Amino acid sequence: MENRASFAAIVLAAGQGTRMKSERPKVLHELAGRPMLAFPVEAALSAGATRVVVVVGHGREEVEAAIAARFDERVTTALQSEQRGTGHAARCALPALEGFEGDVVILCGDVPLLEPEAIDALRGAREGVELSLLTCRAPDPKGYGRILRDARGAVVGIREHKDASEAERAIDEINAGVYAAPASFLRESLEALRADNAQGELYLTDVVAAAAARGGARAVTWSIESVGGVNDRAQLAEAAAILQRRIAVRHARAGVTVRDLDRAYIDAGVTIEVDAVIEPGVTLRGETHVGRGARIDVGSVLTDVTVLPGAYLKPYTVASESRVGEGAQIGPFAHLRPGSELGPEVHVGNFVETKKTSMARGAKANHLAYLGDGVIGEGVNVGAGTIFCNYDGFQKHTTVLEAGCFIGSDSQLVAPIKVGEGAYVATGTTVTRDVPADALAVGRARQENKEGYAGRLRRKLKASADAAKAKKG
Ligand code: UD1
Ligand code: MG
């Protein structure tokens, strides 16, 4: 239920973001694995917004789809079909808030680093005035709206960079583009906006002067790191770096050893349990989960992977949509492709590729192998250079290795195929028929030793090389 203290949020996200120079709508560019727009929406929800209206326009279908995929019915969209400025955008959201009489917090879709605490502070500052807004001191205020104050220091309005005089441009207090005001005031003041400015747009910033003239406007000063707008890709990279460090610090404070806070690339959706170790240059993407005490070594890249407690992923392991069991040891240089389900104590070594393959407890493939579409039983040993020949050019087929069997090095298993419990496949065998339990499969030419032949062969080869040289002159 919405009570007096409940608030709604409007997130402006209809602009094209020309300065991004991109086919993609600006607000869908990603940081830490999420579209930029998701961050202000999440901040509003976690600060307690009962509903959020996102104003969409440019790239509307894509933006709407991204919102629907991520949020529940508290988050809806309103259309701004023509981009006539931030004030016009906010106006477009009002019909969606019809009947709502509480406070409205307005945020920009391109300000991804704002914390819910800033929204709390902004709402607190609204007490006794008509409108509160977030500002900050910027060492390089170019491009931002400047905060105008009167002789007593009260906020009287905002001047956009393009409209500002030299003296106004010298002001280093800038507008973060985040405001709180009652719905009734916004309805009135947004209706009254005029496009009499350098850009011929309806500026949302003009409502600040209207509020100042009425019940007053109060600024809450926040850190530049949190309120920086992303307008081009350099700013996107800077924001991503700040966010990445914030995420690393959050995990470190929660009991994860993050060896280098500036070189741990951890997406916002990743979860990590205590005593896990994240070494430098590790990238954890999507919904990856790292269990208690697991160690992810240098240069590993995990996308939507679950790593169970105590597993060790050695340097340069690349894995996606897979599961690594307790105490398993993977890599260095292993490649776990989607559907790899590795049980407890499994070993997968260097230059081993797995795909849609399960390995039960204690199974090992330590060197140079391709294991695709396999079901590998407990304690199986797969020798170096083994290949599961899973594809016939039309279909994929399964290789089943039952518990305790042993696959000699450099064997090929031509699927569909099954090797029974405890069976042996001799080194260098091409297995084309099922191997019964406890049997030995050997499929290679029998070895013959010709005594003294090497010397004779060497003499013969040398003579022919000499003859060729003599002929050449
Ligand atoms: C705006 C502020 C500026 C502030 C800065 C902070 C105005 C006039 N200026 O400038 O004072 O310092 O943010 O980052 O408000 N949008 C729409 N429809 C439109 C225009 C914009 O939805 O017609 C959306 C954009 O998608 C974006 C947000 O509003 O998410 C801000 O627009 P942008 O063009 O980036 O404004 P700034 O020039 O950054
Ligand atoms: Mg902007």
Side-chain angles (χ1 to χ4, degrees):
M1 280 307 291
E2 287 175 346
N3 55 34
R4 255 178 61 82
S6 79
F7 74 101
I10 296 173
V11 178
L12 309 182
Q16 182 178 358
T18 326
R19 289 164 279 182
M20 294 296 276
K21 302 194 168 66
S22 176
E23 301 272 299
R24 205 198 279 185
K26 168 162 87 172
V27 294
L28 293 188
H29 280 260
E30 292 192 353
L31 302 88
R34 289 188 180 164
M36 198 189 305
L37 174 64
F39 292 95
V41 174
E42 269 157 27
L45 291 173
S46 47
T50 47
R51 42 173 138 166
V52 179
V53 181
V54 181
V55 182
V56 298
H58 184 80
R60 174 197 178 178
E61 287 83 12
E62 276 175 88
V63 178
E64 282 177 344
I67 291 167
R70 188 164 285 281
F71 296 107
D72 61 23
E73 68 289 342
R74 286 175 299 170
V75 183
T76 55
T77 58
L79 178 63
Q80 183 196 27
S81 40
E82 215 187 318
Q83 278 68 66
R84 294 171 51 201
T86 49
H88 179 253
R91 201 192 267 174
C92 291
L94 292 178
L97 294 175
E98 210 183 297
F100 180 81
E101 288 310 330
D103 265 10
V104 178
V105 171
I106 304 179
L107 309 151
C108 289
D110 65 349
V111 179
L113 298 178
L114 193 75
E115 308 93 336
E117 293 75 19
I119 298 175
D120 292 342
L122 184 72
R123 294 194 61 232
R126 232 277 295 151
E127 200 72 32
V129 289
E130 196 72 54
L131 175 145
S132 57
L133 71 157
L134 283 186
T135 70
C136 70
R137 301 268 164 203
D140 178 15
K142 190 166 180 282
Y144 288 99
R146 308 298 206 284
I147 306 300
L148 308 178
R149 292 178 182 263
D150 66 14
R152 298 196 325 279
V155 174
V156 293
I158 296 178
R159 187 82 71 223
E160 285 307 294
H161 182 88
K162 286 188 177 146
D163 299 288
S165 64
E166 275 311 307
E168 287 165 340
R169 285 187 181 182
I171 298 171
D172 70 346
E173 188 185 9
I174 59 129
N175 169 33
V178 187
Y179 321 83
S184 54
F185 167 76
L186 288 174
R187 283 186 192 108
E188 235 177 85
S189 56
L190 289 173
E191 201 46 57
L193 290 180
R194 296 282 166 269
D196 48 2
N197 52 55
Q199 304 187 75
E201 290 184 350
L202 297 176
Y203 284 172
L204 175 55
T205 43
D206 287 349
V207 305
V208 174
R214 206 199 260 195
R218 183 178 290 137
V220 177
T221 311
W222 210 254
S223 94
I224 180 87
E225 268 210 356
S226 302
V227 302
V230 172
N231 294 314
D232 60 32
R233 293 195 217 204
Q235 288 172 331
L236 177 68
E238 280 160 13
I242 293 168
L243 185 59
Q244 171 203 305
R245 189 181 166 91
R246 255 193 215 173
I247 293 172
V249 167
R250 167 164 63 80
H251 288 294
R253 296 245 156 86
V256 176
T257 298
V258 181
R259 205 76 72 183
D260 183 341
L261 293 171
D262 292 313
R263 292 178 61 218
Y265 308 96
I266 306 173
D267 276 359
V270 170
T271 49
I272 312 179
E273 292 178 13
V274 295
D275 285 330
V277 179
I278 309 298
E279 298 288 359
V282 164
T283 300
L284 304 178
R285 295 190 180 132
E287 307 287 309
T288 291
H289 172 78
V290 180
R292 188 177 280 263
R295 179 172 174 206
I296 316 296
D297 217 329
V298 174
S300 293
V301 181
L302 312 187
T303 308
D304 298 322
V305 173
T306 296
V307 179
L308 293 177
Y312 179 22
L313 275 60
K314 297 176 191 174
Y316 304 101
T317 294
V318 175
S320 49
E321 295 166 51
S322 293
R323 196 179 167 84
V324 177
E326 287 191 37
Q329 295 203 26
I330 312 298
F333 301 105
H335 187 188
L336 310 180
R337 290 170 51 207
S340 299
E341 298 283 330
L342 310 185
E345 310 299 332
V346 158
H347 287 193
V348 168
N350 42 198
F351 309 110
V352 173
E353 173 184 346
T354 62
K355 188 222 69 175
K356 222 171 154 192
T357 284
S358 62
M359 294 177 76
R361 177 181 290 278
K364 292 187 172 69
N366 274 326
H367 333 264
L368 305 157
Y370 173 60
L371 312 177
D373 300 293
V375 178
I376 301 176
E378 238 181 89
V380 167
N381 187 86
V382 177
T386 296
I387 306 291
F388 288 5
C389 309
N390 61 328
Y391 186 47
D392 59 16
F394 297 93
Q395 289 185 76
K396 303 282 167 68
H397 303 282
T398 306
T399 296
V400 178
L401 306 182
E402 287 187 346
C405 71
F406 183 100
I407 311 300
S409 296
D410 197 26
S411 295
Q412 301 92 46
L413 295 124
V414 183
I417 199 89
K418 181 162 128 184
V419 179
E421 215 174 308
Y424 245 84
V425 169
T427 293
T429 295
T430 301
V431 184
T432 53
R433 283 183 295 140
D434 286 356
V435 181
D438 279 326
L440 167 71
V442 204
R444 61 188 186 214
R446 189 171 284 279
Q447 182 173 329
E448 205 185 322
N449 290 340
K450 300 189 176 181
E451 295 288 341
Y453 192 96
R456 290 202 297 280
L457 181 62
R458 212 172 280 121
R459 279 192 294 280
K460 196 170 121 190
L461 294 173
K462 183 170 187 304
S464 99
D466 288 346
K469 217 195 265 169
K471 202 170 160 194
K472 247 175 141 185

